[in-house]
Amino acid sequence: MLAYLIRRLFQAAITIVVMAVLVFVGIYAIGNPIDVLISPEADPAEIEAAIRRLGLDQPLWRQFLLFVSNALRGDLGTSFVHNEPALRLIIERMPATLELAVAAMLLSIFLGIPLGMIAGLRHDRATGRGIMAASILGFSLPNFWQGMMLIMLFAVWAGWLPSGGRGDTVPLFGVPVSFLTLDGLQHLILPAINLALFKTALVVRLARAGTREVMLQDYVKFARAKGVSERRVVLVHMLKNILIPVVTVLGLEFGSVIAFAVVTETVFAWPGMGKLLIDSILNLDRPVVVAYLMLIVFVFILINLVVDIVYSLLDPRVRLSGRAE
Amino acid sequence: MTAAVLEIRGLRTWFFTRAGIVRAVDGVDLEIAPGEVLGLVGESGSGKSITGFSVLGLIDPPGRITEGSIRFRGEELVGAPEARLRQLRGAHVAMIFQDPMMTLNPVLRIDTQMIEAVLAHRDMRRAEARALCADALRRVGIPAPEERLKAYPHQLSGGMRQRVAIAIALLHDPALIIADEPTTALDVTIQAQILYEVQKLCAETGTSLLWITHDLAVVAGIADRIAVMYAGQIVEQGPAAEVIGRPLHPYTLALLESVPSHNRRGQPLRQIPGMAPSPLALPAGCRFRPRCSRAGERCHEPPPVSMPEAGREVRCFHPCNRPPPEKTEAAPEPDRRISRPSSRPSPGAG
Ligand SMILES: Nc1ncnc2c1ncn2[C@@H]1O[C@H](COP(=O)(O)OP(=O)(O)O)[C@@H](O)[C@H]1O
Ligand code: SF4
Ligand SMILES: [Mg+2]
């Protein structure tokens, strides 16, 4: 396990280095860094200062070293609009996005797995078919349209829930969160549902396919032959086997939940990274866009790493063979 | 003879598939006395496993028992409530499956899978159940059982896993164990060991055994009686020595001739001509007719079960203890003779 961990960490580190090289080549070697990183409204003196700060008058390899050491210090450029370090801007908005993404993931797990298992166990009955039909809707209705319908139904017509914003927040370990206040929770519900719908449909399908495969396995029949209760057969023997593929895929999808949050945050005016990205694109605030992309790549790598580790913990075959190596 | 442990009468288990009705088990009668070992033999696909699963009520849709009765110690199991069947499963009727690689859940430790089998039928503390499981493992010859309990299935060899499955089957001293080809997937030396041990343990506890196999040579040594199954029906049953020494049904004879044995060493090995019928399109009349060298005119009718001798039953118009019928129609192609292959073939198994 330890050897496996070290190997995976090493791979992740290499991926990050490769990514850094690619971003550098994209901006500094192929593109024109003056266009990308320096505000078009800057006067010649400011441009001169920026060129010196970024080392653009230096040879390429020095520029790369400077880029890396800046990135390591967290300096990925300065926003034209806010005149603040781009990374700090993004990180300030990260908790809101993460809170939304985690809420959506939890929703899709706790709705999707039971529904998918029911659909698998009752695949030839009306219940199973109904769940599958609903999941097709979840897949095919556009995300922003679902979001607007949710606002129409629950905020405009019924008036039960607010239509946008984050509501009251309280700090948890120094990070502001919404879900601990009633007002925040009310603000969280609709965007979380909106973001969760697609993933829930995905989880339903995965869990159903897994259930249909696992329910035919000899070990399920053997468990029944031992006289184990049906409840235990489903909740232990079947669920544990289904969780492995579902958790793996879902973990890998967490990155795409964060990416999808761009749409949801825009529809619900949720003050997260996604909304910042859209605003920055509209304002041609390129350093923020570049920093956002780099951060997202970093997050994806991190997620892959965590998923691999969780997967190996869930599946004894992987866990133990890793130890043997 | 004391009352039978298991009495199956006219059992039909059919699968209602899109392609049509699969009559996997189609009118089976079987009886097992206390402490008796009954060998259920037949080619693969003849319905042996489905017979076993029917006893436990473990037929998955689209299959179901459509007719017949299964009495366990006098109690009717067909149509019995699921709760009652669950009480019996594992505690009074246990089953061992064919492929030990598939019978244990790969993501649960051995102890989890054994302790749940204990707690499903007995109210006791986990620690007590665990001690019981270690004892059971020791009984089937597993060294260092405490360590094995903490292992995952993939850490054990196939033979070891099958021993674990046997230990689970023996946990509650059941009255009947259904062993569904438990040695087929193992290599020959381990086959012999497991065969010997199961037989010994069942003899010790007086457990009846329904030993399912496609290999006549395997049951010959351990069974008290043998039932031969073909296309969902029992075609012959009787005391093991007699069925093997003087088979009555042409199919049994053909099975025997396809088993290599010492006293026919050097002679060519016969293969049963033709193929097992598709369960979706069974021949009318005798189901073995297209492959039978003794078939006659009457064989276009389904043959009834007769008892030509005490204790023996056969489903055939022209059993082998009588001269074959006058040939009034073209008999199927006579036996193709093939030379004895070097590896050990299974009798007509698919
Ligand atoms: N789930 C199922 N659906 C349709 N047919 C089945 C199913 N399970 C078994 N059968 C059919 O029942 C017949 C008997 O199967 P089985 O009892 O497993 O044979 P055996 O154990 O003698 O090799 C086979 O022809 C098989 O195709
Ligand atoms: S009934 Fe006829 S066809 Fe069937 S096994 Fe006997 S002789 Fe052969
Ligand atoms: Mg079978």
Side-chain angles (χ1 to χ4, degrees), chain B residues 185-204:
Chain B
L186 304 174
D187 68 49
V188 183
T189 25
I190 298 181
Q191 260 188 37
Q193 281 173 15
I194 295 223
L195 206 65
Y196 168 75
E197 269 164 34
V198 172
Q199 189 188 11
K200 191 188 76 179
L201 291 165
C202 286
E204 277 171 19

Side-chain angles (χ1 to χ4, degrees), chain A residues 46 51 82 101 122 158 160 169 172 211 218 225 247 250 265 298:
Chain A
E46 282 171 342
I51 285 178
H82 303 269
R122 308 225 181 286
W160 294 334
T169 59
L172 178 70
T211 304
D218 270 6
V247 166
L250 262 190
E265 286 177 6
F298 184 74

Side-chain angles (χ1 to χ4, degrees), chain B residues 265-323:
Chain B
R265 190 176 290 269
Q267 287 183 28
L269 199 65
R270 287 175 190 216
Q271 212 181 24
I272 307 176
M275 284 188 350
S278 151
L280 285 166
L282 294 171
C286 176
R287 292 176 181 181
F288 188 55
R289 182 172 48 82
R291 304 169 77 185
C292 181
S293 59
R294 299 171 68 89
E297 200 53 52
R298 286 175 76 192
C299 304
H300 289 276
E301 301 288 311
V305 175
S306 59
M307 291 186 58
E309 295 168 30
R312 300 197 61 177
E313 289 178 8
V314 63
R315 192 189 281 271
C316 176
F317 288 116
H318 309 291
C320 304
N321 61 346
R322 283 193 264 141

Side-chain angles (χ1 to χ4, degrees), chain B residues 15 17 22 24 43-51 60-62 180-181 279:
Chain B
F15 288 85
T17 66
V22 176
E43 284 167 296
S44 129
S46 53
K48 308 178 299 291
S49 299
I50 301 299
T51 305
D60 293 321
D180 187 0
E181 312 214 24

Side-chain angles (χ1 to χ4, degrees), chain A:
Chain A
M1 187 71 199
L2 192 66
Y4 176 75
L5 248 177
I6 291 171
R7 206 176 54 224
R8 281 302 283 111
L9 276 172
F10 187 67
Q11 287 169 355
I14 289 183
T15 319
I16 289 176
V17 170
V18 170
M19 176 205 60
V21 172
L22 283 179
V23 171
F24 175 79
V25 168
I27 297 174
Y28 289 75
I30 300 174
N32 182 354
I34 297 176
D35 288 348
V36 179
L37 297 178
I38 300 173
S39 172
E41 281 145 36
D43 58 44
E46 282 171 342
I47 294 178
E48 196 57 37
I51 285 178
R52 224 170 299 114
R53 186 169 52 81
L54 292 170
L56 296 183
D57 47 354
Q58 309 271 327
L60 213 55
W61 64 271
R62 303 263 326 237
Q63 290 183 32
F64 180 67
L65 289 185
L66 198 62
F67 167 77
V68 170
S69 73
N70 280 343
L72 283 179
R73 280 188 284 108
D75 179 3
L76 292 175
T78 304
S79 162
F80 306 155
V81 177
H82 303 269
N83 209 11
E84 259 187 73
L87 198 60
R88 196 206 298 160
L89 267 179
I90 297 172
I91 287 183
E92 270 169 9
R93 284 164 178 73
M94 205 177 209
T97 298
L98 286 182
E99 182 175 18
L100 182 60
V102 168
M105 283 303 259
L106 291 179
L107 263 181
S108 60
I109 290 172
F110 286 102
L111 276 176
I113 291 181
L115 284 175
M117 287 189 81
I118 292 170
L121 292 169
R122 308 225 181 286
H123 62 93
D124 48 356
R125 317 256 187 87
T127 1
R129 300 220 177 92
I131 292 172
M132 288 321 281
S135 91
I136 292 174
L137 277 188
F139 263 126
S140 44
L141 298 181
N143 212 241
F144 71 90
W145 187 81
Q146 287 175 7
M148 293 193 309
M149 285 302 117
L150 286 174
I151 292 177
M152 288 261 279
L153 284 176
F154 295 99
V156 180
W157 287 347
W160 294 334
L161 293 167
S163 67
R166 203 180 169 192
D168 296 341
T169 59
V170 288
L172 178 70
F173 305 119
V175 178
V177 293
S178 300
F179 74 98
L180 290 179
T181 68
L182 182 63
D183 182 56
L185 203 57
Q186 285 172 341
H187 279 83
L188 181 60
I189 291 175
L190 284 185
I193 290 177
N194 176 238
L195 190 55
L197 273 174
F198 189 85
K199 293 301 165 211
T200 308
L202 180 74
V203 174
V204 165
R205 305 214 137 221
L206 286 171
R208 180 184 117 111
T211 304
R212 291 199 62 180
E213 191 190 318
V214 166
M215 68 197 272
L216 298 176
Q217 298 293 318
D218 270 6
Y219 55 75
V220 167
K221 206 165 214 182
F222 188 65
R224 293 205 175 101
K226 291 191 294 195
V228 171
S229 68
E230 193 56 30
R231 194 187 141 88
R232 195 174 156 89
V233 169
V234 172
L235 294 184
V236 176
H237 285 265
M238 295 179 54
L239 181 61
K240 195 136 190 228
N241 277 282
I242 294 163
L243 275 184
I244 293 173
V246 172
V247 166
T248 311
V249 174
L250 262 190
L252 296 174
E253 289 285 321
F254 188 65
S256 91
V257 171
I258 292 176
F260 256 108
V262 172
V263 177
T264 301
E265 286 177 6
T266 310
V267 173
F268 289 90
W270 184 265
M273 300 190 295
K275 190 160 182 310
L276 175 70
L277 174 71
I278 297 292
D279 293 344
S280 303
I281 291 174
L282 292 177
N283 294 328
L284 299 179
D285 197 353
R286 284 179 291 264
V288 176
V289 177
V290 170
Y292 176 87
L293 292 180
M294 289 201 47
L295 194 76
I296 283 289
V297 174
F298 184 74
V299 167
F300 264 82
I301 291 170
L302 204 66
I303 288 169
N304 274 320
L305 185 66
V306 171
V307 169
D308 275 1
I309 291 167
V310 172
Y311 174 78
S312 70
L313 288 179
L314 272 178
D315 192 335
R317 285 162 295 192
V318 178
R319 167 168 20 127
L320 297 166
S321 66
R323 178 189 290 165
E325 272 168 3

Side-chain angles (χ1 to χ4, degrees), chain A residues 221 226-227 232 237 241, chain B residues 58 86 102 105 113 116 121:
Chain A
K221 206 165 214 182
K226 291 191 294 195
R232 195 174 156 89
H237 285 265
N241 277 282
Chain B
L58 287 178
R86 199 187 69 71
M102 310 296 296
N105 195 324
Q113 305 193 47
E116 72 176 1
H121 301 289

